[in-house]
Amino acid sequence: MDSPIQRYLTHIHEEIARIKDGEPASYIPALADVDPDNFGICLATVDGYVYEVGDTREEFTIQSISKPFTYGLALSDRGMAAVDEKIDVEPSGDAYNEISLAEGSGRPSNAMINAGALAATSLVKSAGPYSRSRRILNMFSDFAGRDLAVSERVYKSELAHGHRNKALAYLLRSFNIIESDPDPVVEDYFRQCSVLVNCRDLSIMAATLANSGTNPLTGEDLLEIGEVERVLSVMTTCGMYDDAGAWMSSVGMPAKSGVAGGILAVLPGQVGLAVYSPPLDAHGTSVRGIETCQRLSDDMELHFVRAGRTGKSAIRAGYDITDSPSGIRRTDEAADVLREHGHRAMVIELNGDLLFAGSESVVRELSALSDDVEHVILDLRRVDEVAAVALRMLADVREQLTAAGRQLVLIDGEGTLAAAFMEVDGEVPTFTTRSAAVEWSENELIARYGGDLELPDAVRPSDSPALSSLTEDDAAALEQRMEPKTYDAGDVIRRVGQRFGGVFFIVSGKITTSVPGPNGTRVKLSTLSAGMTFGELALGSENRQETTVKAVGPVKLMVLSADEIVALEEDDPRLALELWKALTRDAYIRVDQYLRETAVRIRD
């Protein structure tokens, strides 16, 4: 099944590709001959999954997007106090190549403008056999999760035409911001700007910042959390230069642009976004990149104000219904159908907030389900908040499931998401408990794969599974000794602690069994329907009823009472023995099923 996120990205890529405004950078000759129609979008999650569309593997130079990473390396090498002595953290309000040095000290306003970036480069240490330039390249490679290289052609072009940056470096040297010969610093700065990346690389680099400095692909810790906080803070206020205020207002993510056409944006704890499109606006920022980031921020609610909570996976657990059956006792034939086809119904438990990142993990899981899965049961009882973007994505998934002949089922205690689906996408089968939702799916699977097997509305005791090992005559003789009973919805049939009252055969209707839980609550154990029995397990617990049995709706029973069982043992010992053998066999099956269900509940 197609991911709704992938389809959305494909859709906006097609729309935004029609924008023809802007021109590629020309002041660096090596950048001027690029194809202006190149356009790629990548969205990387903090667990390393990448959505991509368009020219995402086309290489280009990183340019000013290098600045946050070199700044982070300088912070790691020197410490925050030492770096702050050389580079301020205030927005300049100026273009990227303005001087913006503090009067008297010469300290650059921030590390995102060229003057501050040159100072940051000068603060990176050489280490052993690794020069400053090699350490910067290695760090970029670690962030991207692959070995990167420098474009010598772009480097030489920048070195030949970067007169303003050379002048800035000498000015910084005059204030002792750069403490050594500025020429090697300029060369290393031009080399870092000339590192070749693609859109996918940038998205992983952004996701690494979003993931608190840990690369989600390699698991390598590249920056400490304090260093990441500083880098993202400066990106927030300064990364888009004199357009930073408008950017944070409309997009709301820390970001950095480069004159080769790349944009990198970070939503901490959730995603990294990268766009590549060479035509630039007057600020030196990709025109299509800005439009893409604004669209994603609006449509997917990525603005930091909306998506303020950490976006860990919302999936708590996933399993098919054979691992967690409903508790309904089935006939042998129905149980065989469920053993063979129970894998076709999946329960996916969700928790936390369904904001963008949490919703993304859910729709990714749903999109990857096997084609054999026909029922998708979403357990929403532990979900705290559901964003509009989550509802739209789930509605999209539900539409695709329906088109493929598959069914979405909700377990939604409060009914909030079910009500929202009614507004957006029509009614969805919704239940307040997992056992009820699983029972519904079990019945659907039995009806579909059981052939002529039908779920009976009424079952005589002589036809019940509990007496299936008896002859027809013996079963009929036992039924003659039974007394009919009827109950209305909500009636309590048996209570915890009552003495053994006989064996109860359900002719029609349903009952539930429950036990006392913590804080006075009741814990539901099972639902029994026509053809099933209860009451006999009390004989294994000092003749005391272990559960409370309540009628779900109108219920008809046939009861082989305790007194009648005593009379049977006196009148027909052989038949009494056959009865106990049949009940022992049936009780073993029931206890085995109960233990498996209890194991699932304990795990929960």
Side-chain angles (χ1 to χ4, degrees):
M1 187 174 72
D2 292 339
S3 163
I5 297 174
Q6 186 65 50
R7 292 197 295 126
Y8 166 78
L9 292 177
T10 300
H11 172 69
I12 68 165
H13 183 274
E14 291 173 354
E15 285 189 355
I16 297 173
R18 303 187 188 107
I19 298 175
K20 301 299 181 181
D21 298 341
E23 296 290 339
S26 59
Y27 64 91
I28 302 173
L31 301 182
D33 58 355
V34 68
D35 185 349
D37 290 330
N38 285 340
F39 179 29
I41 306 171
C42 283
L43 192 69
T45 65
V46 291
D47 62 354
Y49 190 85
V50 182
Y51 299 91
E52 51 187 306
V53 61
D55 303 307
T56 59
R57 304 304 173 99
E58 183 76 21
E59 288 196 324
F60 55 95
T61 50
I62 193 169
Q63 296 299 326
S64 287
I65 300 174
S66 66
K67 294 173 181 177
F69 301 98
T70 304
Y71 182 50
L73 183 54
L75 291 168
S76 179
D77 279 356
R78 305 284 183 173
M80 210 162 293
V83 173
D84 287 348
E85 287 181 3
K86 301 290 187 179
I87 309 168
D88 205 347
V89 293
E90 296 298 329
S92 66
D94 295 327
Y96 66 94
N97 59 356
E98 290 297 318
I99 297 176
S100 298
L101 304 182
E103 186 176 351
S105 69
R107 189 168 62 148
S109 297
N110 59 74
M112 300 299 108
I113 58 174
N114 286 7
L118 285 162
T121 299
S122 75
L123 292 171
V124 174
K125 296 179 179 180
S126 297
Y130 297 107
S131 65
R132 175 172 55 205
S133 179
R134 171 54 63 178
R135 288 194 65 233
I136 291 172
L137 178 61
N138 288 347
M139 186 200 197
F140 290 5
S141 297
D142 289 341
F143 263 86
R146 73 179 183 100
D147 290 336
L148 303 178
V150 174
S151 168
E152 291 296 329
R153 184 175 70 92
V154 173
Y155 165 68
K156 291 176 181 178
S157 181
E158 295 209 29
L159 191 61
H161 296 87
H163 307 301
R164 188 178 183 89
N165 284 326
K166 293 176 183 177
L168 282 171
Y170 273 89
L171 187 57
L172 291 169
R173 179 68 184 94
S174 72
F175 285 104
N176 208 38
I177 298 298
I178 292 177
E179 298 181 354
S180 59
D181 182 359
D183 286 336
V185 174
V186 174
E187 292 172 6
D188 288 346
Y189 174 70
F190 286 151
R191 280 194 175 277
Q192 79 178 43
C193 291
S194 302
V195 172
L196 288 166
V197 293
N198 59 40
C199 194
R200 190 179 191 278
D201 295 330
L202 287 187
S203 71
I204 295 298
M205 295 172 82
T208 301
L209 290 175
N211 196 35
S212 302
T214 300
N215 187 304
L217 297 183
T218 67
E220 187 175 359
D221 296 327
L222 303 177
L223 289 177
E224 298 291 336
I225 184 61
E227 295 154 3
V228 173
E229 287 176 353
R230 171 58 70 85
V231 169
L232 291 178
S233 296
V234 174
M235 285 173 65
T236 299
T237 56
C238 312
M240 302 303 284
Y241 309 122
D242 49 334
D243 198 36
W247 176 272
M248 285 308 297
S249 177
S250 62
V251 177
M253 288 185 279
K256 191 72 199 72
S257 61
V259 294
I263 291 182
L264 172 151
V266 178
L267 185 58
Q270 301 206 37
V271 294
L273 169 64
V275 187
Y276 167 56
S277 176
L280 311 179
D281 66 8
H283 298 282
T285 303
S286 170
V287 174
R288 295 191 192 108
I290 292 175
E291 180 65 22
T292 300
C293 292
Q294 289 176 340
R295 285 286 300 273
L296 264 69
S297 177
D298 289 343
D299 296 346
M300 293 189 172
E301 301 182 16
L302 300 183
H303 195 289
F304 77 94
V305 173
R306 289 177 178 251
R309 301 187 191 180
T310 300
K312 297 179 181 178
S313 174
I315 298 175
R316 181 172 180 266
Y319 45 86
D320 68 49
I321 62 173
T322 60
D323 291 330
S324 181
S326 65
I328 296 287
R329 289 177 61 209
R330 304 288 185 179
T331 62
D332 291 342
E333 294 86 353
D336 288 341
V337 171
L338 293 178
R339 274 191 289 272
E340 182 178 357
H341 297 283
H343 68 281
R344 300 181 185 275
M346 284 288 298
V347 178
I348 299 177
E349 298 179 9
L350 308 183
N351 59 191
D353 296 324
L354 283 182
L355 307 180
F356 170 75
S359 303
E360 182 278 329
S361 66
V362 173
V363 299
R364 192 198 319 165
E365 179 78 9
L366 298 183
S367 299
L369 286 175
S370 165
D371 292 340
D372 288 344
V373 176
E374 299 174 4
H375 289 193
V376 179
I377 305 171
L378 287 185
D379 189 341
L380 303 162
R381 291 172 295 172
R382 297 178 182 86
V383 172
D384 299 322
E385 179 181 344
V386 181
V389 63
L391 183 57
R392 290 196 300 272
M393 285 196 283
L394 289 173
D396 193 324
V397 168
R398 193 270 178 110
E399 182 180 344
Q400 292 188 68
L401 289 172
T402 302
R406 304 160 89 178
Q407 179 67 62
L408 179 66
V409 181
L410 302 180
I411 307 172
D412 189 6
E414 297 182 0
T416 52
L417 190 56
F421 262 117
M422 284 289 290
E423 297 175 7
V424 174
D425 196 39
E427 186 175 358
V428 179
T430 303
F431 303 88
T432 58
T433 65
R434 180 177 55 193
S435 60
V438 172
E439 177 189 348
W440 185 87
S441 288
E442 287 175 344
N443 291 342
E444 292 288 305
L445 292 176
I446 291 169
R448 182 166 187 174
Y449 294 102
D452 296 331
L453 179 65
E454 295 183 359
L455 298 174
D457 293 327
V459 177
R460 294 176 54 189
S462 55
D463 294 328
S464 71
L467 302 184
S468 60
S469 61
L470 274 62
T471 65
E472 290 185 11
D473 289 343
D474 284 348
L478 287 173
E479 186 173 330
Q480 290 295 319
R481 290 176 172 269
M482 298 180 190
E483 175 186 3
K485 297 277 187 179
T486 60
Y487 297 89
D488 294 326
D491 287 351
V492 174
I493 301 170
R494 299 290 292 164
R495 293 187 184 277
V496 170
Q498 282 186 309
R499 296 193 65 81
F500 173 65
V503 182
F504 296 73
F505 292 77
I506 304 173
V507 176
S508 64
K510 294 181 181 180
I511 62 94
T512 60
T513 66
S514 63
V515 295
N519 303 320
T521 60
R522 304 212 54 87
V523 178
K524 180 181 174 182
L525 296 181
S526 63
T527 300
L528 306 182
S529 58
M532 307 305 159
T533 63
F534 62 92
E536 66 271 33
L537 294 183
L539 290 172
S541 53
E542 299 180 349
N543 288 341
R544 295 289 181 181
Q545 182 74 24
E546 290 286 333
T547 62
T548 293
V549 181
K550 183 180 292 188
V552 175
V555 174
K556 292 182 179 180
L557 304 175
M558 293 290 284
V559 183
L560 186 61
S561 68
D563 291 340
E564 192 62 38
I565 291 174
V566 172
L568 174 66
E569 291 172 338
E570 294 176 354
D571 298 342
D572 193 341
R574 182 200 63 82
L575 181 55
L577 179 61
E578 293 299 319
L579 169 64
W580 290 123
K581 287 167 59 178
L583 292 178
T584 300
R585 170 183 172 275
D586 188 58
Y588 171 81
I589 295 172
R590 290 183 61 188
V591 169
D592 178 67
Q593 181 182 26
Y594 169 77
L595 291 174
R596 286 188 288 111
E597 294 166 6
T598 302
V600 171
R601 292 187 183 96
I602 292 173
R603 181 201 67 194
D604 292 346

